[in-house]
Amino acid sequence: MTSPLDRLRPEHPPVRRVDDLVAAFGLAATGAPTAGRTFTGVTVSSGDVEPGDLFVAVPGLRVHGARFADDALARGAVAVLTDPDGVALLPPAADVPVLVVDDPRALAGPVAAWALGDPGTRLVTVGVTGTNGKTTTTYFVDAALRAEHARTAVLGTVELRIGDDAVESPRTTVEAPVLQSLLALAHERGATALTTEVSSHALALGRVHGVRFDVVGFTNLQRDHLDFHGDMEGYFRDKSRLFSPEQARRGVVVVDDVWGQRLAEESPIPVQTLSTHVGAPVAAGADWAVVEADIGLDGVGSRFVLRGPDGARHEAHSPLPGLVNVSNAALAIVLAHAAGVPVDAAVAGVAGAHAIPGRMERVIERGDGWPLCLVDYAHTPDALVLALEAVRPITPGRLVLVFGSDGDRDRGKRPIMGQIGARLADVLVVTDENPRSEDPASVRAAILAGVRDVRPDLADVHEATSRAQAIRDALRLAGPDDTVIVTGKGHEPTQEIAGVFHRYNDRDVFLAAHAERREQHA
Protein backbone atom coordinates (compact mmCIF):
# COMPACT_ATOMS: atom_id res chain seq x y z
CA MET A 1 0.00 0.00 0.00
CA THR A 2 1.43 3.36 -1.01
CA SER A 3 1.57 6.43 1.20
CA PRO A 4 0.08 9.78 0.21
CA LEU A 5 2.11 12.08 -2.00
CA ASP A 6 3.27 14.19 0.90
CA ARG A 7 6.95 14.54 -0.08
CA LEU A 8 6.65 14.38 -3.88
CA ARG A 9 9.91 12.43 -3.91
CA PRO A 10 10.91 8.83 -4.51
CA GLU A 11 11.38 6.82 -1.33
CA HIS A 12 14.70 5.39 -2.46
CA PRO A 13 16.67 7.98 -4.46
CA PRO A 14 20.16 7.20 -5.73
CA VAL A 15 23.14 8.61 -3.85
CA ARG A 16 25.25 10.76 -6.20
CA ARG A 17 28.79 12.07 -5.82
CA VAL A 18 29.32 15.79 -6.23
CA ASP A 19 32.58 15.02 -8.07
CA ASP A 20 30.65 13.00 -10.65
CA LEU A 21 28.16 15.84 -11.12
CA VAL A 22 30.99 18.30 -11.72
CA ALA A 23 32.51 15.98 -14.32
CA ALA A 24 29.20 15.15 -16.03
CA PHE A 25 28.27 18.78 -16.61
CA GLY A 26 31.70 20.41 -16.78
CA LEU A 27 30.99 22.66 -13.81
CA ALA A 28 33.37 25.03 -12.09
CA ALA A 29 33.68 24.37 -8.38
CA THR A 30 34.56 26.65 -5.49
CA GLY A 31 33.91 26.76 -1.77
CA ALA A 32 34.51 23.56 0.21
CA PRO A 33 36.20 20.61 -1.55
CA THR A 34 33.89 18.32 -3.53
CA ALA A 35 35.80 15.12 -2.73
CA GLY A 36 33.75 12.66 -0.71
CA ARG A 37 30.58 14.80 -0.85
CA THR A 38 27.32 13.13 -1.91
CA PHE A 39 23.75 14.27 -2.43
CA THR A 40 20.37 12.56 -2.79
CA GLY A 41 18.00 15.26 -4.01
CA VAL A 42 17.78 18.50 -5.99
CA THR A 43 15.58 21.54 -5.35
CA VAL A 44 15.30 25.18 -6.40
CA SER A 45 13.24 26.10 -3.33
CA SER A 46 14.99 26.60 -0.01
CA GLY A 47 11.74 25.75 1.76
CA ASP A 48 11.71 22.29 0.12
CA VAL A 49 15.27 21.37 1.08
CA GLU A 50 15.73 18.05 2.83
CA PRO A 51 19.00 16.88 4.39
CA GLY A 52 21.37 15.75 1.66
CA ASP A 53 19.99 18.02 -1.09
CA LEU A 54 21.75 20.04 -3.75
CA PHE A 55 20.26 23.55 -3.63
CA VAL A 56 20.02 25.22 -7.05
CA ALA A 57 19.97 28.98 -6.45
CA VAL A 58 18.44 30.60 -9.54
CA PRO A 59 17.86 34.28 -10.31
CA GLY A 60 14.18 35.15 -9.78
CA LEU A 61 12.02 37.88 -11.21
CA ARG A 62 12.58 39.98 -8.08
CA VAL A 63 15.09 38.23 -5.81
CA HIS A 64 18.01 35.91 -6.48
CA GLY A 65 17.59 32.48 -4.92
CA ALA A 66 21.08 32.68 -3.44
CA ARG A 67 19.68 35.10 -0.86
CA PHE A 68 17.89 32.08 0.64
CA ALA A 69 21.02 29.93 0.84
CA ASP A 70 21.21 30.39 4.63
CA ASP A 71 17.79 28.76 4.97
CA ALA A 72 18.73 25.99 2.53
CA LEU A 73 21.93 25.20 4.41
CA ALA A 74 20.14 25.25 7.75
CA ARG A 75 17.73 22.67 6.39
CA GLY A 76 20.54 20.38 5.35
CA ALA A 77 21.68 21.33 1.84
CA VAL A 78 25.11 19.84 1.20
CA ALA A 79 26.06 21.80 -1.95
CA VAL A 80 24.90 24.83 -3.94
CA LEU A 81 24.63 25.24 -7.71
CA THR A 82 24.32 28.87 -8.83
CA ASP A 83 25.61 31.55 -11.21
CA PRO A 84 28.42 34.09 -10.61
CA ASP A 85 25.92 36.64 -9.25
CA GLY A 86 24.64 34.01 -6.84
CA VAL A 87 28.14 33.18 -5.63
CA ALA A 88 28.58 36.80 -4.55
CA LEU A 89 25.38 36.56 -2.48
CA LEU A 90 26.21 33.35 -0.61
CA PRO A 91 26.97 33.58 3.12
CA PRO A 92 30.75 33.74 3.59
CA ALA A 93 30.69 31.03 6.24
CA ALA A 94 29.02 28.46 3.95
CA ASP A 95 31.15 25.31 4.28
CA VAL A 96 29.78 23.47 1.24
CA PRO A 97 30.89 22.99 -2.36
CA VAL A 98 29.63 25.74 -4.65
CA LEU A 99 29.16 24.76 -8.29
CA VAL A 100 29.05 27.61 -10.79
CA VAL A 101 27.34 27.82 -14.17
CA ASP A 102 26.08 30.75 -16.24
CA ASP A 103 22.43 29.60 -16.31
CA PRO A 104 21.53 27.43 -13.31
CA ARG A 105 17.82 27.53 -14.13
CA ALA A 106 18.41 25.85 -17.49
CA LEU A 107 20.53 23.19 -15.79
CA ALA A 108 18.21 22.41 -12.85
CA GLY A 109 16.12 19.91 -14.80
CA PRO A 110 18.99 18.06 -16.50
CA VAL A 111 20.89 17.86 -13.19
CA ALA A 112 17.83 16.47 -11.39
CA ALA A 113 17.24 14.00 -14.24
CA TRP A 114 20.87 12.86 -14.06
CA ALA A 115 20.72 12.52 -10.29
CA LEU A 116 17.60 10.35 -10.46
CA GLY A 117 18.76 8.17 -13.35
CA ASP A 118 16.69 9.88 -16.06
CA PRO A 119 13.30 8.60 -14.83
CA GLY A 120 11.39 10.01 -17.80
CA THR A 121 12.88 7.30 -20.02
CA ARG A 122 11.16 4.62 -17.94
CA LEU A 123 7.66 5.94 -18.60
CA VAL A 124 5.50 6.75 -21.60
CA THR A 125 5.30 10.54 -21.32
CA VAL A 126 2.79 12.93 -22.88
CA GLY A 127 2.93 16.72 -22.55
CA VAL A 128 0.09 19.07 -23.51
CA THR A 129 0.44 22.81 -24.11
CA GLY A 130 -1.81 25.57 -25.46
CA THR A 131 -3.84 28.41 -23.99
CA ASN A 132 -7.10 26.62 -23.27
CA GLY A 133 -7.98 22.97 -22.93
CA LYS A 134 -4.75 21.68 -21.37
CA THR A 135 -6.35 20.36 -18.19
CA THR A 136 -9.30 18.69 -19.89
CA THR A 137 -7.11 17.19 -22.58
CA THR A 138 -4.61 15.76 -20.07
CA TYR A 139 -7.41 14.09 -18.11
CA PHE A 140 -8.83 12.68 -21.33
CA VAL A 141 -5.38 11.42 -22.36
CA ASP A 142 -4.91 9.83 -18.96
CA ALA A 143 -8.27 8.06 -19.29
CA ALA A 144 -7.21 6.73 -22.71
CA LEU A 145 -3.77 5.63 -21.50
CA ARG A 146 -5.38 3.59 -18.74
CA ALA A 147 -6.67 1.26 -21.45
CA GLU A 148 -3.07 0.04 -21.86
CA HIS A 149 -1.44 0.99 -18.55
CA ALA A 150 -2.54 -0.41 -15.19
CA ARG A 151 -1.23 2.60 -13.30
CA THR A 152 -0.76 6.13 -14.60
CA ALA A 153 0.11 9.60 -13.36
CA VAL A 154 -1.34 12.97 -14.33
CA LEU A 155 0.15 16.34 -13.37
CA GLY A 156 -1.34 19.75 -13.95
CA THR A 157 -3.31 22.70 -12.74
CA VAL A 158 -5.76 20.74 -10.58
CA GLU A 159 -3.63 18.09 -8.90
CA LEU A 160 -0.54 15.92 -8.90
CA ARG A 161 -1.80 12.33 -9.02
CA ILE A 162 -0.03 8.98 -9.15
CA GLY A 163 -2.37 6.02 -9.18
CA ASP A 164 -5.06 6.82 -6.61
CA ASP A 165 -2.97 9.22 -4.51
CA ALA A 166 -3.18 12.96 -5.21
CA VAL A 167 -2.32 16.35 -3.74
CA GLU A 168 -3.25 19.87 -4.76
CA SER A 169 -0.98 21.26 -7.45
CA PRO A 170 0.96 24.45 -6.67
CA ARG A 171 0.98 25.52 -10.34
CA THR A 172 0.20 24.26 -13.83
CA THR A 173 3.71 22.86 -14.32
CA VAL A 174 5.90 22.20 -11.29
CA GLU A 175 9.55 23.27 -11.07
CA ALA A 176 12.05 21.11 -12.96
CA PRO A 177 13.48 19.17 -9.98
CA VAL A 178 9.97 18.47 -8.67
CA LEU A 179 8.93 17.18 -12.09
CA GLN A 180 11.91 14.83 -12.16
CA SER A 181 11.11 13.65 -8.63
CA LEU A 182 7.52 12.95 -9.64
CA LEU A 183 8.66 11.00 -12.68
CA ALA A 184 10.89 8.91 -10.40
CA LEU A 185 8.16 8.48 -7.81
CA ALA A 186 5.65 7.46 -10.48
CA HIS A 187 8.04 4.79 -11.73
CA GLU A 188 8.79 3.66 -8.18
CA ARG A 189 5.07 3.21 -7.55
CA GLY A 190 4.51 1.15 -10.66
CA ALA A 191 3.13 3.74 -13.05
CA THR A 192 4.10 3.19 -16.67
CA ALA A 193 2.64 6.34 -18.24
CA LEU A 194 2.50 10.01 -17.22
CA THR A 195 0.65 12.97 -18.72
CA THR A 196 1.37 16.56 -17.76
CA GLU A 197 0.24 20.03 -18.66
CA VAL A 198 3.06 22.24 -19.91
CA SER A 199 2.46 25.96 -19.46
CA SER A 200 4.12 28.74 -21.44
CA HIS A 201 5.70 30.01 -18.21
CA ALA A 202 7.18 26.55 -17.64
CA LEU A 203 8.63 26.50 -21.14
CA ALA A 204 10.09 29.99 -20.80
CA LEU A 205 11.58 29.17 -17.39
CA GLY A 206 12.95 25.73 -18.24
CA ARG A 207 10.70 23.70 -15.95
CA VAL A 208 10.53 20.78 -18.40
CA HIS A 209 14.24 20.80 -19.22
CA GLY A 210 15.61 17.32 -18.72
CA VAL A 211 12.48 15.62 -20.06
CA ARG A 212 12.13 14.40 -23.63
CA PHE A 213 8.44 13.59 -24.05
CA ASP A 214 7.33 10.69 -26.19
CA VAL A 215 4.44 12.77 -27.54
CA VAL A 216 3.43 16.41 -27.12
CA GLY A 217 0.18 18.12 -28.06
CA PHE A 218 -0.90 21.67 -28.90
CA THR A 219 -4.51 22.78 -28.31
CA ASN A 220 -4.69 26.43 -29.42
CA LEU A 221 -3.18 29.85 -28.85
CA GLN A 222 -5.43 32.65 -27.62
CA ARG A 223 -4.91 35.88 -25.76
CA ASP A 224 -3.49 35.25 -22.29
CA HIS A 225 -0.36 35.95 -20.22
CA LEU A 226 0.68 38.89 -22.38
CA ASP A 227 1.88 40.60 -19.20
CA PHE A 228 4.60 37.91 -19.17
CA HIS A 229 5.25 37.21 -22.85
CA GLY A 230 4.84 40.75 -24.16
CA ASP A 231 2.81 39.98 -27.27
CA MET A 232 1.31 37.04 -29.16
CA GLU A 233 4.55 36.48 -31.08
CA GLY A 234 6.46 36.06 -27.82
CA TYR A 235 3.70 33.83 -26.46
CA PHE A 236 3.86 31.62 -29.57
CA ARG A 237 7.64 31.48 -29.42
CA ASP A 238 7.55 30.15 -25.85
CA LYS A 239 4.81 27.62 -26.58
CA SER A 240 6.80 26.36 -29.57
CA ARG A 241 9.71 25.40 -27.31
CA LEU A 242 7.88 22.18 -26.46
CA PHE A 243 8.16 21.09 -30.08
CA SER A 244 11.95 21.03 -30.14
CA PRO A 245 14.00 17.82 -30.61
CA GLU A 246 15.40 18.27 -27.08
CA GLN A 247 11.90 18.26 -25.55
CA ALA A 248 9.89 15.81 -27.64
CA ARG A 249 10.10 12.97 -30.13
CA ARG A 250 6.88 13.71 -31.99
CA GLY A 251 3.77 15.84 -31.70
CA VAL A 252 0.11 16.36 -32.50
CA VAL A 253 -1.05 19.86 -33.41
CA VAL A 254 -4.62 21.13 -33.59
CA VAL A 255 -4.66 23.38 -36.67
CA ASP A 256 -7.95 25.16 -36.03
CA ASP A 257 -6.20 28.51 -35.59
CA VAL A 258 -3.40 30.21 -37.50
CA TRP A 259 -0.95 29.58 -34.67
CA GLY A 260 -1.51 25.84 -34.84
CA GLN A 261 -1.11 25.91 -38.61
CA ARG A 262 2.14 27.82 -38.24
CA LEU A 263 3.43 25.46 -35.56
CA ALA A 264 2.71 22.45 -37.77
CA GLU A 265 4.59 24.05 -40.65
CA GLU A 266 7.60 25.15 -38.59
CA SER A 267 7.93 22.24 -36.15
CA PRO A 268 11.39 20.65 -36.22
CA ILE A 269 9.97 17.36 -34.93
CA PRO A 270 7.51 15.09 -36.80
CA VAL A 271 3.90 16.12 -36.13
CA GLN A 272 0.46 14.90 -37.04
CA THR A 273 -2.18 17.55 -37.67
CA LEU A 274 -5.75 17.54 -36.37
CA SER A 275 -8.70 19.65 -37.52
CA THR A 276 -11.65 19.70 -35.11
CA HIS A 277 -13.98 22.19 -36.82
CA VAL A 278 -16.37 20.32 -39.08
CA GLY A 279 -16.15 21.55 -42.66
CA ALA A 280 -13.15 23.83 -42.09
CA PRO A 281 -10.98 24.26 -45.23
CA VAL A 282 -7.92 23.06 -43.34
CA ALA A 283 -9.62 19.71 -42.60
CA ALA A 284 -8.99 18.35 -46.08
CA GLY A 285 -5.24 18.49 -45.62
CA ALA A 286 -5.14 17.44 -41.97
CA ASP A 287 -3.97 13.98 -40.95
CA TRP A 288 -6.93 13.64 -38.57
CA ALA A 289 -10.22 15.55 -38.75
CA VAL A 290 -13.55 15.72 -36.94
CA VAL A 291 -15.98 15.29 -39.84
CA GLU A 292 -19.26 15.09 -37.92
CA ALA A 293 -20.30 16.43 -34.52
CA ASP A 294 -23.61 16.15 -32.70
CA ILE A 295 -23.58 18.55 -29.75
CA GLY A 296 -25.84 16.86 -27.22
CA LEU A 297 -28.60 18.94 -25.69
CA ASP A 298 -28.62 16.87 -22.50
CA GLY A 299 -25.54 18.74 -21.36
CA VAL A 300 -23.50 15.62 -20.67
CA GLY A 301 -21.47 15.41 -23.82
CA SER A 302 -21.27 15.26 -27.58
CA ARG A 303 -20.84 12.58 -30.18
CA PHE A 304 -18.50 13.03 -33.11
CA VAL A 305 -16.79 11.18 -35.93
CA LEU A 306 -13.00 11.30 -36.16
CA ARG A 307 -11.46 10.53 -39.56
CA GLY A 308 -7.99 9.03 -39.40
CA PRO A 309 -5.04 9.31 -41.79
CA ASP A 310 -6.11 6.07 -43.47
CA GLY A 311 -9.61 7.40 -44.07
CA ALA A 312 -11.19 5.20 -41.38
CA ARG A 313 -14.06 6.79 -39.44
CA HIS A 314 -14.13 6.41 -35.66
CA GLU A 315 -17.34 7.04 -33.72
CA ALA A 316 -16.32 8.93 -30.57
CA HIS A 317 -17.82 10.70 -27.57
CA SER A 318 -16.82 13.65 -25.39
CA PRO A 319 -18.19 13.34 -21.85
CA LEU A 320 -18.24 17.15 -21.52
CA PRO A 321 -20.57 19.48 -23.45
CA GLY A 322 -19.68 21.90 -26.24
CA LEU A 323 -17.61 21.98 -29.39
CA VAL A 324 -14.54 22.96 -27.40
CA ASN A 325 -14.64 19.58 -25.67
CA VAL A 326 -15.04 17.78 -28.98
CA SER A 327 -11.70 19.37 -29.82
CA ASN A 328 -10.16 18.34 -26.49
CA ALA A 329 -11.46 14.79 -26.79
CA ALA A 330 -10.28 14.40 -30.39
CA LEU A 331 -6.80 15.65 -29.49
CA ALA A 332 -6.63 13.27 -26.52
CA ILE A 333 -7.55 10.31 -28.73
CA VAL A 334 -4.84 11.14 -31.27
CA LEU A 335 -2.24 11.80 -28.55
CA ALA A 336 -2.99 8.50 -26.80
CA HIS A 337 -2.84 6.66 -30.12
CA ALA A 338 0.54 8.28 -30.87
CA ALA A 339 1.64 7.07 -27.42
CA GLY A 340 0.81 3.47 -28.32
CA VAL A 341 -2.88 3.01 -27.49
CA PRO A 342 -5.05 1.44 -30.23
CA VAL A 343 -7.52 3.98 -31.63
CA ASP A 344 -10.64 2.10 -30.53
CA ALA A 345 -9.28 1.71 -27.00
CA ALA A 346 -8.39 5.42 -26.89
CA VAL A 347 -11.90 6.33 -28.07
CA ALA A 348 -13.47 4.15 -25.36
CA GLY A 349 -11.15 5.52 -22.69
CA VAL A 350 -11.98 9.15 -23.44
CA ALA A 351 -15.71 8.39 -23.57
CA GLY A 352 -15.52 6.94 -20.08
CA ALA A 353 -13.50 9.77 -18.54
CA HIS A 354 -14.77 11.05 -15.20
CA ALA A 355 -15.84 14.61 -14.48
CA ILE A 356 -12.94 17.04 -14.28
CA PRO A 357 -12.89 19.49 -11.35
CA GLY A 358 -13.74 23.00 -12.48
CA ARG A 359 -14.13 22.14 -16.15
CA MET A 360 -17.81 22.39 -17.10
CA GLU A 361 -18.40 20.79 -13.73
CA ARG A 362 -22.07 20.18 -13.01
CA VAL A 363 -22.30 21.04 -9.32
CA ILE A 364 -26.10 21.17 -8.95
CA GLU A 365 -28.44 19.55 -11.43
CA ARG A 366 -31.60 21.26 -12.63
CA GLY A 367 -34.67 20.21 -10.67
CA ASP A 368 -36.67 20.81 -7.47
CA GLY A 369 -36.80 24.49 -8.34
CA TRP A 370 -33.03 24.78 -8.80
CA PRO A 371 -31.25 26.00 -11.91
CA LEU A 372 -28.41 24.02 -13.43
CA CYS A 373 -25.22 25.22 -11.69
CA LEU A 374 -21.84 24.92 -13.41
CA VAL A 375 -18.25 25.85 -12.60
CA ASP A 376 -15.75 26.40 -15.39
CA TYR A 377 -12.17 27.65 -15.51
CA ALA A 378 -12.72 29.88 -18.57
CA HIS A 379 -10.59 32.95 -17.88
CA THR A 380 -9.62 34.15 -21.36
CA PRO A 381 -11.85 35.86 -23.92
CA ASP A 382 -11.91 32.89 -26.29
CA ALA A 383 -12.52 30.41 -23.50
CA LEU A 384 -15.41 32.49 -22.16
CA VAL A 385 -17.02 32.56 -25.61
CA LEU A 386 -16.71 28.77 -25.93
CA ALA A 387 -18.06 28.16 -22.43
CA LEU A 388 -21.14 30.33 -22.92
CA GLU A 389 -21.80 28.93 -26.38
CA ALA A 390 -21.57 25.40 -24.95
CA VAL A 391 -24.07 26.13 -22.19
CA ARG A 392 -26.65 28.08 -24.22
CA PRO A 393 -28.15 25.02 -26.01
CA ILE A 394 -28.83 23.27 -22.68
CA THR A 395 -30.47 26.32 -21.08
CA PRO A 396 -34.27 26.57 -21.53
CA GLY A 397 -34.40 29.89 -19.70
CA ARG A 398 -31.79 32.58 -19.05
CA LEU A 399 -28.05 32.21 -18.86
CA VAL A 400 -26.71 33.76 -15.64
CA LEU A 401 -22.97 34.45 -15.63
CA VAL A 402 -20.78 35.12 -12.60
CA PHE A 403 -17.33 36.29 -13.69
CA GLY A 404 -14.41 38.63 -13.16
CA SER A 405 -10.78 38.96 -14.22
CA ASP A 406 -7.43 38.56 -12.49
CA GLY A 407 -5.49 41.38 -10.92
CA ASP A 408 -1.80 41.90 -11.77
CA ARG A 409 -2.36 40.25 -15.13
CA ASP A 410 -3.20 41.30 -18.70
CA ARG A 411 -5.34 44.40 -18.21
CA GLY A 412 -6.31 44.63 -21.85
CA LYS A 413 -8.55 41.58 -21.71
CA ARG A 414 -10.81 42.94 -18.95
CA PRO A 415 -13.15 45.07 -21.11
CA ILE A 416 -13.12 42.29 -23.71
CA MET A 417 -14.40 39.86 -21.10
CA GLY A 418 -17.14 42.34 -20.22
CA GLN A 419 -18.21 42.69 -23.85
CA ILE A 420 -18.38 38.92 -24.29
CA GLY A 421 -20.42 38.41 -21.14
CA ALA A 422 -22.84 41.18 -22.10
CA ARG A 423 -23.29 39.74 -25.58
CA LEU A 424 -23.66 36.03 -24.75
CA ALA A 425 -25.25 35.88 -21.29
CA ASP A 426 -28.60 37.23 -20.11
CA VAL A 427 -27.79 38.16 -16.52
CA LEU A 428 -24.33 39.24 -15.38
CA VAL A 429 -22.85 39.33 -11.89
CA VAL A 430 -19.43 40.97 -12.08
CA THR A 431 -17.14 40.11 -9.18
CA ASP A 432 -13.51 39.32 -8.31
CA GLU A 433 -11.24 36.44 -9.32
CA ASN A 434 -7.81 36.90 -7.75
CA PRO A 435 -7.29 40.64 -7.25
CA ARG A 436 -3.76 40.03 -5.97
CA SER A 437 -2.18 43.42 -5.24
CA GLU A 438 -4.64 45.47 -7.33
CA ASP A 439 -7.67 47.33 -6.07
CA PRO A 440 -10.53 44.89 -6.80
CA ALA A 441 -12.91 47.75 -7.63
CA SER A 442 -10.64 48.97 -10.44
CA VAL A 443 -10.58 45.51 -12.02
CA ARG A 444 -14.37 45.28 -11.89
CA ALA A 445 -14.66 48.79 -13.31
CA ALA A 446 -12.62 47.81 -16.36
CA ILE A 447 -14.90 44.81 -16.95
CA LEU A 448 -18.01 46.95 -16.52
CA ALA A 449 -16.65 49.44 -19.05
CA GLY A 450 -16.69 46.63 -21.59
CA VAL A 451 -20.20 45.62 -20.51
CA ARG A 452 -21.40 49.20 -21.17
CA ASP A 453 -20.12 48.98 -24.75
CA VAL A 454 -22.81 46.35 -25.34
CA ARG A 455 -25.41 47.32 -22.73
CA PRO A 456 -25.19 51.05 -22.09
CA ASP A 457 -28.06 50.88 -19.59
CA LEU A 458 -26.44 47.94 -17.70
CA ALA A 459 -29.72 46.03 -17.84
CA ASP A 460 -29.54 42.80 -15.81
CA VAL A 461 -26.02 43.64 -14.72
CA HIS A 462 -25.01 43.36 -11.07
CA GLU A 463 -21.78 43.90 -9.14
CA ALA A 464 -20.65 42.03 -6.03
CA THR A 465 -17.58 42.77 -3.94
CA SER A 466 -17.53 39.23 -2.51
CA ARG A 467 -17.26 36.28 -4.89
CA ALA A 468 -19.24 34.07 -2.54
CA GLN A 469 -21.96 36.73 -2.38
CA ALA A 470 -21.90 36.97 -6.17
CA ILE A 471 -22.79 33.29 -6.45
CA ARG A 472 -25.59 33.66 -3.90
CA ASP A 473 -26.87 36.71 -5.79
CA ALA A 474 -26.89 34.71 -9.02
CA LEU A 475 -28.86 31.91 -7.37
CA ARG A 476 -31.36 34.44 -6.04
CA LEU A 477 -31.79 35.91 -9.53
CA ALA A 478 -32.06 32.56 -11.33
CA GLY A 479 -35.20 30.56 -12.00
CA PRO A 480 -35.57 26.77 -12.40
CA ASP A 481 -35.16 26.90 -16.19
CA ASP A 482 -32.03 29.04 -15.99
CA THR A 483 -28.36 28.05 -15.90
CA VAL A 484 -25.87 29.66 -13.54
CA ILE A 485 -22.27 29.38 -14.69
CA VAL A 486 -19.36 30.70 -12.63
CA THR A 487 -16.19 31.16 -14.64
CA GLY A 488 -12.59 32.12 -14.04
CA LYS A 489 -11.42 30.08 -11.07
CA GLY A 490 -12.66 26.57 -11.79
CA HIS A 491 -11.08 24.10 -9.38
CA GLU A 492 -8.90 26.68 -7.57
CA PRO A 493 -8.92 26.13 -3.78
CA THR A 494 -7.83 29.66 -2.84
CA GLN A 495 -8.46 33.31 -3.70
CA GLU A 496 -5.56 35.77 -3.55
CA ILE A 497 -6.51 39.19 -2.15
CA ALA A 498 -3.88 41.80 -1.22
CA GLY A 499 -1.17 39.15 -1.23
CA VAL A 500 -3.04 36.80 1.13
CA PHE A 501 -4.35 33.41 -0.01
CA HIS A 502 -7.78 32.67 1.44
CA ARG A 503 -9.32 29.20 1.24
CA TYR A 504 -12.10 29.48 -1.29
CA ASN A 505 -13.76 27.31 -3.95
CA ASP A 506 -16.73 28.12 -6.23
CA ARG A 507 -18.09 24.59 -6.01
CA ASP A 508 -18.12 24.71 -2.22
CA VAL A 509 -20.14 27.95 -2.24
CA PHE A 510 -22.76 26.41 -4.56
CA LEU A 511 -23.07 23.33 -2.34
CA ALA A 512 -23.25 25.37 0.86
CA ALA A 513 -26.06 27.50 -0.57
CA HIS A 514 -27.86 24.38 -1.71
CA ALA A 515 -27.57 22.77 1.73
CA GLU A 516 -28.76 25.94 3.49
CA ARG A 517 -31.89 26.17 1.36
CA ARG A 518 -32.68 22.50 1.91
CA GLU A 519 -32.40 23.00 5.67
CA GLN A 520 -34.71 26.02 5.50
CA HIS A 521 -37.36 23.96 3.72
CA ALA A 522 -36.89 20.81 5.75
Side-chain angles (χ1 to χ4, degrees):
M1 180 153 179
T2 60
S3 61
L5 306 182
D6 49 359
R7 292 178 61 244
L8 303 182
R9 295 185 182 220
E11 294 294 324
H12 307 288
V15 178
R16 298 297 186 190
R17 290 161 45 101
V18 176
D19 276 347
D20 292 339
L21 173 63
V22 170
F25 290 90
L27 303 173
T30 185
T34 60
R37 304 278 185 141
T38 61
F39 67 100
T40 54
V42 181
T43 180
V44 298
S45 171
S46 64
D48 291 340
V49 168
E50 295 188 5
D53 276 357
L54 167 70
F55 174 53
V56 184
V58 302
L61 295 177
R62 298 182 180 87
V63 180
H64 199 294
R67 293 193 178 276
F68 303 97
D70 270 337
D71 183 42
L73 296 172
R75 292 172 181 268
V78 295
V80 176
L81 172 64
T82 191
D83 57 12
D85 289 341
V87 173
L89 295 171
L90 294 177
D95 185 27
V96 297
V98 178
L99 314 180
V100 188
V101 67
D102 288 339
D103 189 353
R105 183 179 290 281
L107 209 58
V111 165
W114 175 87
L116 291 166
D118 205 2
T121 62
R122 302 180 190 141
L123 303 164
V124 173
T125 51
V126 179
V128 181
T129 197
T131 304
N132 295 312
K134 294 188 298 297
T135 300
T136 300
T137 301
T138 55
Y139 274 87
F140 284 170
V141 170
D142 181 68
L145 288 172
R146 278 187 267 124
E148 293 288 306
H149 299 268
R151 176 166 291 183
T152 63
V154 61
L155 317 175
T157 306
V158 176
E159 63 183 352
L160 308 173
R161 177 169 58 75
I162 298 173
D164 295 328
D165 292 330
V167 294
E168 289 180 5
S169 178
R171 54 173 56 90
T172 298
T173 310
V174 293
E175 292 286 0
V178 179
L179 177 57
Q180 292 295 332
S181 290
L182 286 166
L183 287 163
L185 180 58
H187 173 69
E188 186 177 80
R189 292 195 172 187
T192 52
L194 178 145
T195 307
T196 183
E197 297 180 53
V198 184
S199 70
S200 55
H201 289 72
L203 289 161
L205 298 173
R207 291 180 190 154
V208 291
H209 286 180
V211 181
R212 189 173 184 226
F213 292 97
D214 292 300
V215 192
V216 293
F218 174 86
T219 59
N220 50 66
L221 196 74
Q222 300 162 2
R223 179 172 181 147
D224 201 12
H225 306 306
L226 298 191
D227 54 298
F228 181 82
H229 300 286
D231 55 24
M232 290 299 291
E233 189 64 30
Y235 190 20
F236 173 75
R237 184 169 58 250
D238 284 330
K239 287 289 189 187
S240 301
R241 294 173 189 261
L242 187 58
F243 286 74
S244 69
E246 297 78 20
Q247 293 284 192
R249 293 177 173 81
R250 56 194 177 278
V252 180
V253 178
V254 176
V255 291
D256 294 338
D257 61 33
V258 295
W259 301 105
Q261 294 162 26
R262 178 176 163 186
L263 179 58
E265 292 171 359
E266 298 178 0
S267 173
I269 63 171
V271 298
Q272 291 184 305
T273 55
L274 167 64
S275 169
T276 70
H277 292 171
V278 177
V282 72
D287 298 308
W288 299 79
V290 174
V291 293
E292 294 179 20
D294 178 17
I295 308 304
L297 298 182
D298 57 1
V300 297
S302 304
R303 300 197 174 276
F304 61 98
V305 175
L306 181 64
R307 186 260 301 153
D310 59 357
R313 292 164 58 92
H314 305 278
E315 301 277 346
H317 176 74
S318 163
L320 296 179
L323 283 171
V324 63
N325 287 308
V326 168
S327 179
N328 294 333
L331 175 58
I333 291 166
V334 180
L335 282 169
H337 180 55
V341 179
V343 177
D344 290 344
V347 167
V350 169
H354 299 299
I356 302 167
R359 271 61 179 177
M360 281 297 170
E361 184 179 2
R362 300 169 73 97
V363 181
I364 302 173
E365 295 291 345
R366 194 185 315 281
D368 295 328
W370 277 84
L372 173 64
C373 298
L374 303 170
V375 171
D376 192 72
Y377 191 52
H379 61 284
T380 68
D382 296 272
L384 185 59
V385 169
L386 292 169
L388 297 178
E389 288 181 345
V391 172
R392 177 63 73 180
I394 60 174
T395 303
R398 299 175 304 164
L399 182 51
V400 182
L401 169 65
V402 179
F403 74 124
S405 192
D406 272 338
D408 295 341
R409 296 296 185 268
D410 180 8
R411 299 186 179 203
K413 75 177 183 181
R414 296 170 187 174
I416 300 173
M417 300 287 280
Q419 293 164 359
I420 292 167
R423 190 174 72 250
L424 297 180
D426 300 304
V427 180
L428 308 181
V429 184
V430 177
T431 189
D432 306 328
E433 283 187 16
N434 295 298
R436 297 188 172 89
S437 69
E438 279 197 69
D439 172 24
S442 67
V443 179
R444 295 194 302 271
I447 298 169
L448 288 167
V451 173
R452 286 191 184 90
D453 291 341
V454 180
R455 299 187 196 176
D457 59 355
L458 294 181
D460 290 317
V461 178
H462 309 265
E463 183 178 5
T465 58
S466 157
R467 191 171 178 92
Q469 187 58 50
I471 292 175
R472 293 175 185 276
D473 288 348
L475 290 173
R476 175 177 52 79
L477 293 165
D481 290 333
D482 297 340
T483 295
V484 178
I485 181 169
V486 183
T487 64
K489 289 183 62 61
H491 68 285
E492 290 182 351
T494 61
Q495 184 179 29
E496 185 181 354
I497 304 171
V500 178
F501 288 87
H502 304 267
R503 295 299 296 186
Y504 173 86
N505 179 263
D506 288 335
R507 183 178 188 273
D508 292 345
V509 175
F510 266 137
L511 293 177
H514 189 249
E516 288 168 8
R517 190 180 299 184
R518 291 180 65 180
E519 288 180 5
Q520 292 171 359
H521 292 85

